[in-house]
Amino acid sequence: DVQLEIPPDLAAGVEADPQAKANFGHVSSSQKKMFAWWIISAKRPETRAQRILRCLDMIRTGEKFDINWRVGGGKESADKPPRG
């Protein structure tokens, strides 16, 4: 079984945000993998930081990545996961 590794900067953000921390345990492992992949795929530090903030917002609100989302496909950019 493969252990999911949450990026340290996302883990620190979750730990520092009471609402995200309370909700994170309810996030499915597939959603956590999507968050992790989206963050580690950023090429620039600024992009990574923006994605972490967006992930924290999604965790706080319970928003999920759309299962059909693909980088470079459709109208969505890699910096903005679709609203589901």
Side-chain angles (χ1 to χ4, degrees), residues 32-62:
K32 288 177 182 177
K33 287 176 190 174
M34 288 291 289
F35 290 139
W37 176 85
W38 194 47
I39 290 168
I40 65 172
S41 68
K43 292 180 175 65
R44 298 179 313 138
E46 299 84 12
T47 303
R48 185 177 176 115
Q50 290 171 350
R51 290 181 182 184
I52 289 169
L53 292 175
R54 180 69 176 103
C55 286
L56 290 171
D57 184 52
M58 291 174 74
I59 293 166
R60 277 192 301 274
T61 63

Side-chain angles (χ1 to χ4, degrees), residues 10-79:
L10 177 59
V14 168
E15 190 64 31
D17 184 315
Q19 185 64 49
K21 186 175 180 179
N23 290 354
F24 196 67
H26 302 289
V27 175
S28 71
S29 61
S30 62
Q31 287 294 306
K32 288 177 182 177
K33 287 176 190 174
M34 288 291 289
F35 290 139
W37 176 85
W38 194 47
I39 290 168
I40 65 172
S41 68
K43 292 180 175 65
R44 298 179 313 138
E46 299 84 12
T47 303
R48 185 177 176 115
Q50 290 171 350
R51 290 181 182 184
I52 289 169
L53 292 175
R54 180 69 176 103
C55 286
L56 290 171
D57 184 52
M58 291 174 74
I59 293 166
R60 277 192 301 274
T61 63
E63 185 179 350
K64 297 180 181 181
F65 278 90
D66 184 330
I67 194 73
N68 296 314
W69 180 55
R70 300 286 185 269
V71 173
K75 298 177 187 173
E76 302 293 337
S77 81
D79 290 328

